[in-house]
Amino acid sequence: MAQLTRRSAKLLEPISAAVSATRHLTTSSTSPITVETSLPFTGHKIDPPSRSVETTPQELLTFFRDMALMRRMEIAADSLYKAKLIRGFCHLYDGQEAVSVGMEAAITKKDCIITAYRDHCIFLGRGGTLFETFAELMGRKDGCSKGKGGSMHFYKKDSGFYGGHGIVGAQVPLGIGLSFAQKYNKDENVTFAMYGDGAANQGQLFEALNMAALWDLPSILVCENNHYGMGTAEWRSAKSPSYFKRGDYAPGLKVDGMDALAVKQACKFAKEHALKNGPIILEMDTYRYHGHSMSDPGSTYRTRDEISGVRQERDPIERIRKLIISHDLATEKELKDTEKEVRKEVDEAIAKAKESPLPDASELFTNVHVKGFGVEAFGADRKELRAVLP
């Protein structure tokens, strides 16, 4: 009887494979699927976009894989830090992956992004590699900043990614400068200047927004509100935690930042607005699973029940998993296999990064000054300075 059962199962294998193949053939990777966002958008001085978002099977599967890769990368970074292979500051992004993948789905690499120090996944979304990521985290010369920037200073200028900045809120004026250049050069592109709810109270942010509004710059200010500036809850540090309304004279939009499709819809909407009308603020309602940095256990100012509750109810990867399965785009096993592939990719990248050499000691003095305008220029007279200034 057992032999018959095994034989029957063997005979059914090609049928099962055929059914799976038929499912993937009948659902074209580019066939449009309309999905409603989990929550409505809330607008300030602007009518919000529709909750109905158009996507495709290929996009949903890509979202799942990209977010699974980001999640695994950050979990691995946590282990490497604890093993003292990553030193210095390190801020992880697990939980916030939907912001990165949703934003990338709405824009091009000609659009610019600038962010704070929680930057690993943004770099990956802009086309950076796992090898460059882990090499940089471990201070190796094959890292994206040649091993000299570390966790907080990732860059990929050829894809419009301008960092990775360690000074709270200081990246926002730089982002407004990038959008000024885009308008000056008559580019049809925008800049996403990203910051957290803690940085939302920085004075320089309001000064930069004022200039962007005065000059109608194609600036999109993205507040990734993960609800805790370091260890301080937003309600303790902000009289008005409705960050999308902070611009007063600039329109804003509150977005479910745990829903990749909602982020995509909002960023597409914001880009169209900014190119025609100037700056807009997006508040991404998101959440980080780790502490603020590796020195923060993340459980002294919030309960473990709160963290597990968000994981169970709002996790961005699980939301996409449910969508994929409900639309019969892949089986649970196929998605598990994807996660296994991702884990293998991360492990291989770490092994390769460990083999990368440390930067040469002479690199300590490179990239400090622009050639022709270094320390030697400070003793020069005005005529000599004019010669080296643009």
Side-chain angles (χ1 to χ4, degrees):
M1 186 70 181
Q3 284 180 333
L4 283 171
T5 305
R6 283 196 295 270
R7 189 179 298 167
S8 300
K10 197 75 178 170
L11 288 168
L12 284 170
E13 278 180 11
I15 298 171
S16 177
V19 170
S20 180
T22 303
R23 169 164 51 80
H24 288 300
L25 283 171
T26 53
T27 309
S28 167
S29 64
T30 56
S31 300
I33 298 172
T34 301
V35 178
E36 191 167 272
T37 62
S38 50
L39 292 171
F41 300 99
T42 307
H44 166 66
K45 293 186 178 292
I46 199 165
D47 292 328
S50 168
R51 290 179 66 180
S52 296
V53 188
E54 191 171 282
T55 183
T56 64
Q58 183 58 51
E59 182 173 71
L60 290 173
L61 291 166
T62 300
F63 278 4
F64 180 83
R65 194 180 201 288
D66 288 351
M67 287 196 288
L69 190 69
M70 290 174 179
R71 178 73 57 86
R72 187 64 210 165
M73 178 184 77
E74 295 295 67
I75 290 169
D78 173 72
S79 298
L80 289 169
Y81 196 95
K82 287 169 181 171
K84 297 188 176 180
L85 288 166
I86 297 174
R87 310 303 291 262
F89 292 101
C90 185
H91 304 80
L92 303 180
Y93 202 74
D94 49 321
Q96 300 183 209
E97 301 92 347
V99 177
S100 175
V101 299
M103 183 169 59
E104 287 295 342
I107 62 177
T108 74
K109 296 297 188 289
K110 289 185 178 179
D111 295 307
C112 297
I113 299 177
I114 191 166
T115 190
Y117 36 70
R118 209 176 299 278
D119 58 354
H120 314 156
C121 294
I122 307 293
F123 172 75
L124 210 63
R126 292 265 88 183
T129 66
L130 285 170
F131 172 56
E132 291 172 305
T133 298
F134 286 116
E136 189 59 43
L137 286 170
M138 292 190 276
R140 310 304 173 103
K141 76 172 190 178
D142 291 308
C144 59
S145 297
K146 299 182 180 179
K148 300 195 295 179
S151 170
M152 298 197 292
H153 303 290
F154 278 48
Y155 298 91
K156 191 167 174 55
K157 188 181 174 183
D158 59 350
S159 295
F161 182 47
Y162 289 85
H165 293 268
I167 300 175
V168 177
Q171 73 278 7
V172 177
L174 297 178
I176 302 307
L178 288 168
S179 59
F180 178 86
Q182 287 167 329
K183 181 160 186 176
Y184 183 84
N185 292 322
K186 295 181 171 59
D187 296 335
E188 287 297 303
N189 304 114
V190 298
T191 294
F192 289 78
M194 306 176 75
Y195 56 98
D197 48 293
N201 298 316
Q202 287 280 321
Q204 58 192 322
L205 190 148
F206 295 94
E207 294 174 41
L209 177 61
N210 180 59
M211 287 191 286
L214 278 171
W215 299 332
D216 297 324
L217 301 182
S219 312
I220 300 168
L221 279 69
V222 182
C223 177
E224 289 187 281
N225 181 9
N226 59 29
H227 303 282
Y228 295 96
M230 295 186 76
T232 306
E234 58 180 344
W235 62 269
R236 295 183 64 194
S237 61
K239 184 65 178 174
S240 171
S242 296
Y243 301 105
F244 69 107
K245 296 180 179 179
R246 287 287 195 90
D248 181 28
Y249 45 80
L253 197 67
K254 187 170 183 178
V255 185
D256 181 358
M258 302 293 269
D259 180 346
L261 290 169
V263 175
K264 171 191 165 183
Q265 185 85 326
C267 289
K268 182 182 175 185
F269 175 84
K271 179 175 176 177
E272 290 169 359
H273 171 89
L275 286 171
K276 293 176 185 174
N277 307 300
I280 182 171
I281 299 172
L282 299 180
E283 179 186 342
M284 301 292 179
D285 181 4
T286 186
Y287 199 82
R288 55 172 165 80
Y289 294 152
H290 268 87
H292 171 73
S293 66
M294 293 306 298
S295 61
D296 168 23
S299 56
T300 55
Y301 48 85
R302 56 183 182 173
T303 64
R304 294 191 184 278
D305 286 345
E306 178 184 310
I307 301 167
S308 62
V310 175
R311 281 185 180 275
Q312 289 169 18
E313 297 169 20
R314 300 182 64 209
D315 185 81
I317 299 175
E318 293 309 310
R319 282 181 167 182
I320 295 295
R321 190 196 303 272
K322 286 175 185 174
L323 266 178
I324 289 169
I325 291 171
S326 67
H327 284 84
D328 200 26
L329 307 179
T331 64
E332 184 67 57
K333 182 184 180 302
E334 287 168 331
L335 295 180
K336 289 284 184 188
D337 288 343
T338 297
E339 289 173 313
K340 286 178 185 175
E341 289 169 15
V342 158
R343 181 187 287 261
K344 186 181 176 186
E345 279 183 45
V346 168
D347 290 345
E348 288 173 352
I350 291 170
K352 187 179 176 185
K354 285 178 179 177
E355 297 299 315
S356 176
L358 294 167
D360 188 83
S362 62
E363 282 289 311
L364 182 64
F365 303 102
T366 60
N367 309 119
V368 177
H369 297 287
V370 175
K371 191 175 180 181
F373 191 64
V375 177
E376 70 279 359
F378 286 98
D381 64 22
R382 192 173 298 175
K383 185 178 179 182
E384 288 173 322
L385 282 173
R386 275 206 200 101
V388 296
L389 287 169

